[in-house]
């Protein structure tokens, strides 16, 4: 067994008796509880050895600030995410050669271009729901999330018949969310040589190629993101070009699905559970609606932030500087501080946010301790897009339907590590036309 990378001085280490697996069993069963109880026992800084990795976990204000301030060349966000989330799930050819990242799509003005696409996607979802019925909130929001994303970056054709359903089927196979919602499913992916994933990729590639061919035959150039992504590959020969357009779209879409639909679902659930807030939203308060979205994401966050040390670094924490060697994974798990960093944060209250920012009356030792979309250089490039998508979608749905919750206060899925929580049980609602 290879030696784990050194941390000097060595902080207390989370207990774990089995070699290689280390603390992994507790970590997989309920990661949030694992980090909470280990912190209560060992303090704000500790090491966790699991599955051949050494995690350096930090929860103090200083430690978390240092983590978010690290330069990519010293401790890599991209490599850590690839190593622990993507490598086991995604074929390498999907990840290399990408030219358009969400960062490139979400410049200021461009977000406004999306709004009409988002409205159209919600209209289509409402038409599909019909005047009344019942549905499961996370399933509904998952479908809506696909529609919103595809409409924004894969062209309006992709978010409607006949392409929407086959695209959803294939995209669900690729969903990296599986790696953190069902960590053991990663083993099955390994065992089958990513056969299902490669088949799904080919399915999406052929649909995107058809959409592009149809556009060309009609002489259509709507100037949307699909057009722009295609233009960025104009130096490649036909055939290769369409494949690369499709692969850019797959990666962008997978980034979106990790969080967006669950954020939509929790925001709706919290509104249904707080009728006084819902009434104000229905009276037209969009600022409050956005605050509800941020507050719902804060409470439902299950993200684990990771940075893989690339070269020896000195890491400043409260009162101690740790020497970290390459290979150490620096981490903090967001739900631990998100609900404890200041009094009152344990429960839902939209006034914790002022617009899209944590309100100044929330007295946290450091603003980095509370996170919805991350901090620093790797914070989410799709924050504005996502909050707009939630505002538009929920406003339209709530204006159209009176909804009745047929569930008891839902709880997050315990075994999830990463992203916004899925619920541990079904959350059914009944809906009918609003008077
Ligand atoms: C409510 C929805 C969303 C939430 C709560 C969310 C949350 C986050 C968080 C917390 C991070 C920082 C990760 C870290 O520091 O470890 C992040 C980064 C990122 N998010 Fe999001 N996200 C959302 C929607 C999206 C969407 C729609 C996309 C793509 C279209 C996206 C793409 C990304 C990417 C590419 C990064 C990495 C940035 C980098 O490499 O520097 N996210 N997101």
């Amino acid at each position: 067994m290879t030696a784990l990378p050194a941390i000097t001085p060595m902080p207390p280490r989370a207990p774990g008796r089995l070699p290689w697996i280390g603390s992994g069993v507790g970590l997989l069963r309920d990661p949030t509880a694992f980090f909470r109880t280990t912190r209560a026992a060992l303090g704000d800084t500790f090491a966790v050895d699991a599955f051949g990795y050494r995690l350096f976990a930090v929860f103090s204000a200083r430690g978390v600030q240092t983590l978010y301030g690290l330069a990519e060349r010293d401790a890599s966000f991209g490599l850590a995410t690839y190593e622990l989330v993507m490598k086991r799930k995604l074929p390498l050819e999907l990840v290399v050669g990408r030219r358009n990242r969400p960062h490139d799509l979400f410049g200021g003005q461009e977000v406004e271009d999306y709004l009409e696409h988002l409205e159209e996607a919600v209209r289509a979802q409402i038409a599909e729901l019909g005047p009344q019925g019942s549905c499961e909130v996370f399933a509904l929001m998952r479908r809506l999330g696909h529609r919103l994303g595809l409409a924004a970056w894969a062209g309006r054709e992709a978010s409607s018949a006949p392409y929407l359903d086959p695209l959803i089927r294939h995209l669900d196979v690729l969903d990296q969310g599986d790696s953190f919602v069902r960590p053991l499913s990663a083993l099955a992916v390994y065992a089958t040589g990513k056969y299902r994933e490669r088949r799904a990729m080919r399915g999406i590639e052929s649909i995107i190629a058809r959409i592009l061919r149809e556009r060309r035959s009609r002489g259509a150039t709507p100037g949307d993101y699909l057009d722009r992504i295609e233009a960025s590959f104009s130096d490649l020969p036909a055939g290769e070009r369409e494949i690369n357009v499709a692969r850019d779209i797959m990666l962008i879409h997978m980034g979106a699905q990790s969080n967006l639909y669950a954020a939509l679902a929790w925001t709706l659930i919290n509104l249904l559970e707080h009728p006084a807030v819902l009434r104000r939203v229905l009276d037209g308060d969009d600022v409050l609606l956005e605050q509800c979205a941020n507050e719902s994401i804060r409470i439902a966050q299950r993200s684990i932030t990771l940075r893989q040390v690339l070269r020896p670094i000195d890491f400043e924490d409260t009162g101690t500087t740790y020497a970290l060697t390459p290979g150490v994974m620096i981490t903090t798990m967001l739900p631990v501080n998100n609900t404890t960093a200041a009094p009152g944060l344990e429960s839902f209250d939209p006034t914790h946010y002022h617009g899209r920012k944590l309100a100044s009356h929330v007295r946290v030792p450091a603003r980095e301790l509370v996170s919805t979309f991350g901090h620093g250089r790797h914070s989410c490039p799709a924050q504005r897009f996502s909050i707009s998508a939630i505002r538009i979608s929920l406003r339209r749905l709530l204006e159209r339907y009176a909804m009745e919750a047929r569930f008891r206060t839902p709880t997050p899925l315990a075994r999830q590590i990463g992203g916004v929580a899925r619920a541990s049980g079904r959350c059914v609602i009944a809906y009918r036309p609003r008077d």
Side-chain angles (χ1 to χ4, degrees):
M1 203 166 54
T2 46
L4 291 169
I7 304 174
T8 314
M10 186 63 183
R13 193 160 30 165
R17 269 167 294 168
L18 302 172
W20 191 73
I21 290 178
S23 309
V25 176
L27 193 58
L28 283 187
R29 195 182 300 127
D30 186 342
T32 304
F34 171 85
F35 279 107
R36 269 193 195 127
T37 50
T38 309
R39 181 195 192 188
L42 303 182
D44 279 345
T45 307
F46 51 88
V48 180
D49 294 340
F51 305 118
Y53 294 103
R54 170 157 286 170
L55 304 184
F56 175 64
V58 293
F59 292 96
S60 73
R62 186 81 193 95
V64 174
Q65 279 175 324
T66 304
L67 185 163
Y68 281 120
L70 289 168
E72 181 70 12
R73 65 177 181 284
D74 291 332
S76 170
F77 165 85
L79 203 63
T81 310
Y82 178 70
E83 179 70 29
L84 288 180
V85 182
M86 297 168 116
K87 189 167 95 176
R88 283 165 185 72
K89 176 78 180 157
L90 299 182
L92 187 63
E93 63 271 25
L94 173 51
V95 184
V96 293
R98 302 291 44 88
R99 293 190 183 173
N100 299 278
R101 301 176 312 151
H103 306 66
D104 310 313
L105 301 186
F106 298 116
Q109 175 52 39
E110 289 160 359
V111 172
E112 310 313 323
D113 295 348
Y114 288 146
L115 300 182
E116 192 39 47
H117 298 301
L118 296 178
E119 291 279 6
E120 204 175 316
V122 188
R123 273 199 296 275
Q125 189 60 59
I126 287 177
E128 188 177 285
L129 282 170
Q132 60 191 34
S134 67
C135 63
E136 202 284 324
V137 174
F138 283 79
L140 167 66
M141 294 308 176
R142 192 170 170 99
R143 188 164 176 81
L144 178 57
H146 278 303
R147 281 188 194 275
L148 295 167
L150 289 172
W153 41 78
R156 61 199 307 199
E157 303 92 320
S159 78
S160 42
Y163 299 123
L164 177 69
D165 285 310
L167 277 174
I168 290 181
R169 228 177 15 253
H170 295 313
L171 286 163
D172 281 350
V173 173
L174 291 177
D175 187 2
Q176 312 163 62
D178 252 20
S179 333
F180 47 76
V181 177
R182 277 178 284 278
L184 293 178
S185 73
L187 293 178
V189 175
Y190 243 13
T192 55
K194 305 181 183 174
Y195 170 77
R196 289 180 67 231
E197 286 70 16
R198 290 205 160 87
R199 202 175 48 185
M201 277 175 67
R202 285 196 298 275
I204 298 167
E205 284 156 13
S206 86
I207 293 175
I208 297 294
R210 263 178 75 183
I211 292 175
L212 292 172
R213 270 200 310 274
E214 281 167 12
R215 282 189 172 191
R216 260 174 246 139
S217 69
R218 282 185 281 124
T221 47
D224 60 5
Y225 280 111
L226 183 61
D227 265 1
R228 296 187 216 178
I229 294 172
E230 189 188 17
S232 77
F233 289 108
S234 58
D235 57 316
L236 298 185
E240 224 178 288
R241 192 187 318 144
E242 290 78 2
I243 288 178
N244 278 282
V245 173
R247 291 181 183 176
D248 272 14
I249 287 170
M250 287 180 229
L251 268 199
I252 294 168
H253 197 79
M254 282 165 9
Q257 278 302 94
S258 308
N259 289 304
L260 182 57
Y261 86 87
L264 275 157
W266 285 110
T267 310
L268 177 59
I269 287 169
N270 283 323
L271 282 166
L272 295 180
E273 296 213 313
H274 295 82
V277 179
L278 176 59
R279 262 193 304 281
R280 285 175 52 203
V281 166
L282 283 170
D283 284 343
D285 194 338
D286 267 347
V287 173
L288 179 62
L289 178 50
E290 292 197 357
Q291 286 171 212
C292 289
N294 281 300
E295 179 69 349
S296 302
I297 294 168
R298 176 183 72 76
I299 292 184
Q301 256 302 355
R302 286 298 176 275
S303 268
I304 180 164
T305 286
L306 290 157
R307 305 288 184 270
Q308 181 169 348
V309 177
L310 298 182
R311 56 185 190 187
I313 56 168
D314 289 333
F315 186 98
E316 291 226 4
D317 201 352
T318 318
T320 310
T321 300
Y322 294 90
L324 307 182
T325 53
V328 170
M329 295 282 184
I330 308 167
T331 186
T332 191
M333 192 155 178
L334 273 41
V336 175
N337 270 315
N338 261 13
T339 50
T340 57
L345 288 183
E346 63 288 348
S347 47
F348 177 85
D349 176 357
T351 68
H352 286 143
Y353 281 85
H354 181 70
R356 296 175 178 192
K357 291 214 160 82
L358 194 65
S360 55
H361 68 79
V362 181
R363 298 257 171 236
V364 278
R367 67 183 185 93
E368 289 86 350
L369 290 181
V370 175
S371 170
T372 46
F373 288 90
H375 295 280
R377 52 177 61 77
H378 293 296
S379 64
C380 185
Q383 176 167 6
R384 270 186 68 193
F385 168 83
S386 303
I387 294 293
S388 301
I390 296 172
R391 184 193 69 239
I392 289 172
S393 303
L394 294 189
R395 169 147 308 290
R396 297 291 169 249
L397 284 166
L398 290 165
E399 281 171 356
R400 176 79 174 80
Y401 299 114
M403 298 182 189
E404 186 194 323
R406 300 257 168 96
F407 52 82
R408 300 225 168 135
T409 305
T411 50
L413 185 68
R415 67 170 185 273
Q416 183 171 336
I417 182 163
V420 175
R422 281 49 169 164
S424 60
R426 285 168 55 74
C427 300
V428 175
I429 50 165
Y431 57 90
R432 57 183 168 72
R434 188 169 286 287
D435 297 335

